[in-house]
Amino acid sequence: MVYTGYELLWLFFCYSFLGWVLETIVAALKQKRFVNRGLINGPLCVIYGLTAVVITIYLRELDGIWLFLGSMIFATVTEWVAGRLIERFYRERWWDYSNMPWNLDGYICLPVSALWGLLGFTVVKWQNGIFAGVFSLLPKMAGHVLVWLTIVITALDCIATLAILSGKSSRLEKWETADAWFAHISGKIGKWIFGQVDRRIHRAYPNAKKQEQLLEKTAVFAYGCGFYKVVMLFFVGAFLGDITETIYCRITAGEWMSRSSVVWGPFSIVWGLAIAAVTALLYKYREKSDGFLFLAGTFLGGAYEYLCSVFTEIVFGKVFWDYSWMPFNLGGRINLLYCFFWGIAAVVWFKKLYPVIARWIERIPMKAGKIVTWGLLVFMCCNVLVSGMALIRYDERERGIAAENGWQQTMDERFPDERMARIYPNAKSVE
């Protein structure tokens, strides 16, 4: 079932509240008292709402075991990323599954992941319909006002909480403590606000473990796995991915065809984002065994490719690849063989290519590297924007929609059907 924007927002708040209730009940049973387990001050655990909405949008075609596995993978990745981000910005670990079987550094574990899969299954099969039905009972205007009012309140709560947490982590180098920094900028009010949030979080997560982080100062450009390194790897991955797919198509199909995701340049956005994301996520585990990297790449790559397929279909009305003719495919969006290719690519990347490419990037002079990085980012943002507009207009022309606005006329002139067919030869329209 396809839901409207307001219905999705309603579902987000419903599941955020239910997640908060679930976390609060579990914490109350353990600590024998009430605690607010949400990151923000309101009765919401936004990670539950975000995960439920993502599963609702991207996994609505799945059923049975595939829906369970898809929900488990997406929810587990979300929990893993959230744990890493909290540790990075707050310098604490709020949950730890180290005592559970089949865990990964205490961030995630198989029993909890199976629970997420079961919850995701029930969300898509039954709960969405119930909550959407409740929303439909509200008068249209009242429902919209309620959603927007909740958005404003939640946004202000999130901004205030994130400002406090980011201030605590980013200013420790300059000020001795976060309390001192808040006292410096806003006196007693700032200290009181920080104290309230800090005490609430530590009441909610009494077993939070302080994580030591060594801040390395270096004159090497893009050292480690920071912003500049990830951005540069995105461009390297986008270029290499386009070249690899072009050669593969030549070998298997016997013809040269464009495999680019954008209208300017040989860049595959899918590959670029995959390389950047897998490096950021698995950088800590790059020295692990080939088997671990293969399994991680297989699952993450398959989930990522499925997500990209659904996204492009929803946004652009196009399917850019279809594996329906291949064995062991899932809705034509992914197949087992290519999932294995993602796993092999992860091993080759971390064991062979990444060390070499990382050294090349780090040899770039600091000032020149920053200028080049930001220049490439501006170029790619413009490239993606124009490509998106061209694809939208390409779809509109196929549906007989006339060009009424200036941007539509420009797209018709610059990117007619013949040119778009050369850039995206495998694009197929969908309802």
Side-chain angles (χ1 to χ4, degrees):
M1 181 177 179
V2 179
Y3 297 98
T4 66
Y6 280 103
E7 287 174 331
L8 289 174
L9 289 169
W10 171 258
L11 292 176
F12 165 78
F13 288 115
C14 287
Y15 290 119
S16 295
F17 175 71
L18 286 181
W20 176 84
V21 171
L22 175 63
E23 290 282 341
T24 301
I25 291 175
V26 172
L29 292 175
K30 289 182 178 180
Q31 302 179 41
K32 309 301 182 183
R33 60 188 176 89
F34 170 80
V35 290
N36 181 0
R37 289 278 287 186
L39 176 61
I40 62 178
N41 295 292
L44 299 173
C45 278
V46 295
I47 188 173
Y48 282 83
L50 287 173
T51 305
V53 169
V54 168
I55 290 173
T56 297
I57 295 174
Y58 290 101
L59 304 184
R60 64 178 185 270
E61 301 173 348
L62 303 183
D63 198 4
I65 186 63
W66 296 113
L67 177 57
F68 169 79
L69 291 175
S71 301
M72 184 175 74
I73 292 173
F74 278 109
T76 300
V77 172
T78 302
E79 185 179 32
W80 183 26
V81 173
R84 294 286 299 276
L85 290 177
I86 289 172
E87 182 175 327
R88 179 170 182 176
F89 290 106
Y90 203 61
R91 298 191 180 180
E92 290 183 354
R93 177 175 292 198
W94 291 359
W95 63 84
D96 190 352
Y97 300 137
S98 297
N99 296 324
M100 301 283 286
W102 297 89
N103 75 85
L104 180 59
D105 286 347
Y107 291 112
I108 55 177
C109 68
L110 186 59
V112 175
S113 295
L115 174 62
W116 298 145
L118 180 61
L119 291 177
F121 184 90
T122 60
V123 162
V124 176
K125 296 296 290 184
W126 299 296
Q127 292 177 338
N128 283 343
I130 295 174
F131 290 138
V134 172
F135 185 72
S136 66
L137 296 177
L138 299 174
K140 185 175 182 180
M141 181 59 68
H144 291 183
V145 170
L146 176 62
V147 168
W148 278 109
L149 182 62
T150 309
I151 289 174
V152 172
I153 295 173
T154 304
L156 293 175
D157 195 354
C158 287
I159 291 171
T161 303
L162 291 176
I164 291 171
L165 298 184
S166 62
K168 178 177 180 179
S169 64
S170 64
R171 304 298 178 180
L172 285 177
E173 295 80 17
K174 184 174 180 181
W175 304 101
E176 183 177 353
T177 65
D179 285 333
W181 178 65
F182 276 99
H184 179 80
I185 61 172
S186 57
K188 294 182 179 180
I189 295 178
K191 281 186 68 175
W192 182 82
I193 294 174
F194 170 79
Q196 291 294 110
V197 175
D198 193 59
R199 282 191 293 273
R200 178 182 64 77
I201 289 176
H202 284 92
R203 283 197 301 268
Y205 300 93
N207 297 322
K209 298 179 180 179
K210 207 71 176 178
Q211 304 295 312
E212 294 296 331
Q213 294 188 0
L214 299 177
L215 301 176
E216 300 184 57
K217 294 183 178 180
T218 176
V220 177
F221 171 68
Y223 184 78
C225 191
F227 170 78
Y228 289 103
K229 176 66 69 60
V230 171
V231 172
M232 294 298 286
L233 290 176
F234 163 79
F235 283 96
V236 171
F239 176 74
L240 292 180
D242 181 88
I243 299 301
T244 301
E245 288 207 8
T246 301
I247 295 175
Y248 179 78
C249 288
R250 173 60 180 174
I251 295 173
T252 57
E255 61 177 313
W256 296 105
M257 67 173 65
S258 169
R259 301 300 296 166
S260 177
S261 303
V262 288
V263 295
W264 297 325
F267 300 106
S268 172
I269 301 299
V270 173
W271 275 94
L273 289 175
I275 291 295
V278 77
T279 304
L281 289 174
L282 299 181
Y283 179 79
K284 182 178 179 180
Y285 312 104
R286 66 190 184 281
E287 302 298 335
K288 281 186 173 289
S289 67
D290 293 354
F292 172 86
L293 293 175
F294 174 78
L295 289 176
T298 298
F299 284 106
L300 293 177
Y304 169 72
E305 188 174 17
Y306 190 96
L307 185 150
C308 289
S309 176
V310 176
F311 176 81
T312 54
E313 182 176 327
I314 292 174
V315 175
F316 303 118
K318 301 285 185 183
V319 171
F320 292 92
W321 59 85
D322 186 0
Y323 304 136
S324 299
W325 56 275
M326 297 187 69
F328 304 107
N329 76 85
L330 187 57
R333 301 188 186 280
I334 58 175
N335 69 84
L336 186 60
L337 177 62
Y338 287 0
C339 286
F340 287 159
F341 284 172
W342 284 111
I344 295 171
V347 176
V348 174
W349 173 250
F350 279 110
K351 298 300 183 180
K352 300 295 183 182
L353 298 180
Y354 173 77
V356 176
I357 294 174
R359 285 196 297 269
W360 289 350
I361 294 174
E362 291 170 4
R363 289 174 183 170
I364 302 174
M366 180 71 74
K367 186 175 181 180
K370 292 183 177 180
I371 293 174
V372 170
T373 301
W374 285 105
L376 288 173
L377 267 179
V378 172
F379 162 74
M380 187 54 71
C381 287
C382 296
N383 201 355
V384 170
L385 177 62
V386 173
S387 300
M389 295 169 64
L391 282 168
I392 291 173
R393 185 59 195 145
Y394 188 26
D395 179 60
E396 289 180 345
R397 287 196 297 268
E398 289 190 347
R399 292 189 283 120
I401 299 177
E404 299 179 353
N405 301 315
W407 74 270
Q408 293 173 316
Q409 297 170 1
T410 300
M411 292 299 107
D412 288 351
E413 295 173 4
R414 300 289 184 181
F415 302 99
D417 290 348
E418 297 79 12
R419 184 177 179 184
M420 294 298 288
R422 288 195 302 271
I423 299 173
Y424 305 105
N426 291 332
K428 297 179 182 178
S429 297
V430 294
E431 291 295 333

